[in-house]
Amino acid sequence: QVQLVESGGGLVQAGGSLRLSCAASGRTFSNYAMAWFRQAPGKEREFVAGITPSGGDAYYADSVKNRFTISRDNAKNTGYLQMSGLRPEDTAVYVCASSIFDRVTASAANYYWGQGTQVTVSS
């Protein structure tokens, strides 16, 4: 059974930084792509960033490009999302996702999910 546990969320002022972590277990982490999605109140879950199994390629939503960086440490079965230049519109529950494939897709249908961690950015 795939388990994903996020940590690192919190309250930060606009312009600040946070680093989210996602500890994975239950299958061979390094065989699958992973991603971060987010969901704000009243909005649909949206793709934020994804990374290939080896970590060689990363993909970002336009809204976070050049501000967020996704990475992974396969030896530790852990993924990360480094967020900088945070804006109030980044406020959401951030959810770690492990793909059922070895490639990154933006469709929420193709992932196992963590419980999420709240990120709140004050203005």
Side-chain angles (χ1 to χ4, degrees):
Q1 183 177 356
V2 177
Q3 290 190 319
L4 303 167
V5 179
E6 301 96 335
S7 60
L11 173 64
V12 64
Q13 288 188 332
S17 298
L18 281 175
R19 188 195 197 201
L20 306 182
S21 298
C22 174
S25 61
R27 62 175 185 170
T28 305
F29 179 70
S30 59
N31 286 351
Y32 301 94
M34 68 160 294
W36 290 90
F37 286 71
R38 67 186 180 186
Q39 188 163 16
K43 295 188 177 181
E44 292 189 355
R45 186 168 290 189
E46 65 172 351
F47 175 85
V48 174
I51 190 167
T52 53
S54 67
D57 292 291
Y59 305 88
Y60 298 92
D62 287 343
S63 58
V64 306
K65 206 169 288 183
N66 300 318
R67 299 189 297 123
F68 291 11
T69 302
I70 189 172
S71 62
R72 63 192 296 163
D73 185 337
N74 288 338
K76 295 182 178 179
N77 291 337
T78 301
Y80 305 96
L81 185 68
Q82 178 68 48
M83 305 183 294
S84 60
L86 283 161
R87 305 166 180 168
E89 54 264 39
D90 294 318
T91 295
V93 175
Y94 283 71
V95 187
C96 173
S98 184
S99 180
I100 62 175
F101 301 122
D102 62 357
R103 63 187 185 276
V104 176
T105 66
S107 170
N110 299 325
Y111 291 90
Y112 295 99
W113 301 101
Q115 292 298 309
T117 184
Q118 177 70 45
V119 171
T120 303
V121 184
S122 63
S123 56

